[in-house]
Amino acid sequence: MRVQLRRGGAFLADVTLDKTGRAKLAETLEEGGYELLFHAGVYQGGGFLDVIPIWFHVADANEHYHVPLILSPFGYSTYRGG
């Protein structure tokens, strides 16, 4: 699945997840707001969901941020992982 990382309208990363469903989008992040765009429609072959935006806030630039997306044909869930 293709995933993009944006901040303030600027694209910071554009990656494809590996076979385990993971990718590193950035080595470090500054404090502030970000948006992840998960391109689920292409991944699911044109399913109900197309692009899933996840907005999140980095409060501490020294912490690790892992944002999983659990995807089903008609819905999704996300959380901050460890």
Side-chain angles (χ1 to χ4, degrees), residues 1 12 22 26-27 35 42-43 45 49 52 55 65 72 79:
M1 179 185 311
L12 305 177
R22 296 174 183 263
E27 289 294 326
E35 179 184 25
V42 173
Y43 174 76
L49 299 167
I52 300 170
W55 291 86
Y65 288 81
S72 73
Y79 59 95

Side-chain angles (χ1 to χ4, degrees), residues 1 16-24 43 66 68-70:
M1 179 185 311
T16 300
L17 301 180
D18 65 18
K19 291 179 183 179
T20 67
R22 296 174 183 263
K24 182 175 262 189
Y43 174 76
H66 177 76
L69 179 76
I70 311 298

Side-chain angles (χ1 to χ4, degrees), residues 3-79:
V3 180
Q4 295 173 300
L5 177 66
R6 281 195 331 186
R7 182 171 190 205
F11 285 94
L12 305 177
D14 190 336
V15 301
T16 300
L17 301 180
D18 65 18
K19 291 179 183 179
T20 67
R22 296 174 183 263
K24 182 175 262 189
L25 281 86
E27 289 294 326
T28 59
L29 296 175
E30 297 176 2
E31 294 178 5
Y34 292 85
E35 179 184 25
L36 285 170
L37 298 170
F38 291 88
H39 293 264
V42 173
Y43 174 76
Q44 291 186 317
F48 173 71
L49 299 167
D50 189 17
V51 177
I52 300 170
I54 305 294
W55 291 86
F56 67 100
H57 183 81
V58 171
D60 184 347
N62 295 314
E63 291 188 22
H64 173 78
Y65 288 81
H66 177 76
V67 184
L69 179 76
I70 311 298
L71 184 62
S72 73
F74 302 106
Y76 65 91
S77 177
T78 189
Y79 59 95

